[in-house]
Amino acid sequence: MKGKGSWRTGHADVSGFRMFYRDWRPAGGEARPPVIALHGSLVQSSMWLSVAEGVGGARMVCPDQRGYGLSADPGGGEAAADFARDAVALANALMLGRFVIMGHSFAYAIALEVACMEPGRVAAAVLVDPTVRTSSGHQQNLARAGERPGSFPSFAGAVRWFRASEEGAWPRAGLNRFMRALMVSDGGDGPCRWPYARERLLRLRAFQASGASDYGIRRAPEVKCPVLIFRGGLSKRFTAEAERRLRRALPPGARTVLCKKSGHFPSVNEPKRFHDALRKFLAGTK
């Protein structure tokens, strides 16, 4: 069910580049801290459209991260700490006081960085199917990035490829809306492409696989705020063992919501369960 509210869009100058963001404003004002929602490394800010509308009562600021969607690519700064500074700079530009930080996939590490950088401002953290990987896992992910198609001759072909390559249950209407918002195209059934350049993804993956990488759970013990974790029960990227490692690293009190029919995108695979759990969690923040 779509909550009442409206979307606004804008740009902000952060960290030396121009960042695009979407801003969901709930009808009736903002009773609780807003959410800064950070997308994963294969998508863009539009992944949060149905989430913001489904939760309804929370303001959600959803940026295209550096080099994604409509944001500029500064050509460097691949560390989780770099992305985290971008998010904090956006919060400053929009004059946000306390806020909740939410990160999907690789952005879980960015969310942890933000929570540690701004412990007095971050009211809570939400980690959505976080990619908790070993160094060998990052190396394998780099190899897979080079094999990923960059574009498709038709939108229908892109949907078929995505459905076949991503585990989990995919409601037809939800998947079509998700892909329409995600892919860059003229809106018809013609050619479309991902919302990032192949070079951009490879640059990120190479850093994650390098010895300089700061992607991981090293900052988890320092997090002071409440933490909610979503895990897709069918996800290959966030296994039960990876969840245990993350939970052991975080301070006591972190809670997990298991979406049994979901893969890496529980917000699309099981929207009602995801929206209900997130709404309840956000209701307790202040």
Side-chain angles (χ1 to χ4, degrees):
M1 180 177 181
K2 181 177 178 179
K4 295 182 178 179
S6 60
W7 284 102
R8 305 178 186 182
T9 59
H11 286 85
D13 293 319
V14 304
S15 309
F17 73 96
R18 196 152 175 79
M19 172 178 274
F20 173 81
Y21 64 90
R22 307 172 195 269
D23 190 349
W24 169 259
R25 299 294 186 93
E30 306 161 31
R32 292 181 174 81
V35 179
I36 298 179
L38 306 177
H39 62 77
S41 63
L42 301 176
V43 290
Q44 56 157 308
S45 61
S46 64
M47 74 162 288
W48 302 116
L49 293 178
S50 62
V51 174
E53 295 167 6
V55 171
R59 180 183 179 186
M60 287 198 186
V61 177
C62 313
D64 282 346
Q65 301 199 76
R66 52 172 62 204
Y68 286 88
L70 297 177
S71 288
D73 186 352
E78 306 305 322
D82 294 317
F83 284 92
R85 282 188 283 270
D86 298 343
V88 173
L90 179 62
N92 294 341
L94 298 180
M95 295 184 288
L96 303 183
R98 284 179 67 74
F99 58 88
V100 174
I101 189 71
M102 179 162 65
H104 171 248
S105 192
F106 93 122
Y108 92 95
I110 302 167
L112 294 179
E113 288 281 352
V114 172
C116 293
M117 286 180 179
E118 297 285 339
R121 294 173 72 185
V122 176
V126 181
L127 313 178
V128 182
D129 212 61
T131 48
V132 179
R133 290 190 172 100
T134 62
S135 58
S136 62
H138 282 302
Q139 290 288 346
Q140 293 169 7
N141 207 33
L142 172 59
R144 285 194 294 268
E147 301 167 355
R148 188 179 180 86
S151 61
F152 300 87
S154 71
F155 176 75
V159 172
R160 285 194 298 270
W161 184 90
F162 193 85
R163 187 191 295 273
S165 63
E166 292 290 342
E167 60 272 13
W170 290 98
R172 182 181 296 274
L175 176 59
N176 283 343
R177 186 191 183 196
F178 177 76
M179 293 294 287
R180 281 289 180 198
L182 172 63
M183 303 300 288
V184 178
S185 71
D186 62 4
D189 193 41
C192 58
R193 63 175 178 82
W194 300 114
Y196 53 84
R198 180 187 294 272
E199 186 276 335
R200 196 276 160 275
L201 179 62
L202 291 175
R203 199 173 68 228
L204 172 63
R205 292 289 188 258
F207 178 84
Q208 291 174 317
S210 74
S213 176
D214 61 349
Y215 289 87
I217 60 177
R218 64 183 185 85
R219 298 302 298 268
E222 304 170 46
V223 174
K224 306 299 183 185
C225 64
V227 177
L228 177 66
I229 304 166
F230 284 95
R231 179 167 75 84
L234 302 177
S235 176
K236 297 177 182 178
R237 296 174 176 93
F238 186 45
T239 63
E241 173 53 32
E243 182 199 341
R244 285 191 287 270
R245 288 199 289 122
L246 177 59
R247 290 286 297 268
R248 285 195 296 267
L250 287 165
R255 187 166 69 87
T256 298
V257 173
L258 176 63
C259 299
K260 294 182 179 180
K261 299 178 182 179
S262 296
H264 193 46
F265 294 89
S267 62
V268 187
N269 295 150
E270 294 182 70
K272 186 179 186 306
R273 178 163 177 74
F274 188 93
H275 298 163
D276 289 349
L278 181 57
R279 186 186 303 112
K280 182 178 180 180
F281 180 72
L282 295 177
T285 62
K286 58 183 179 179

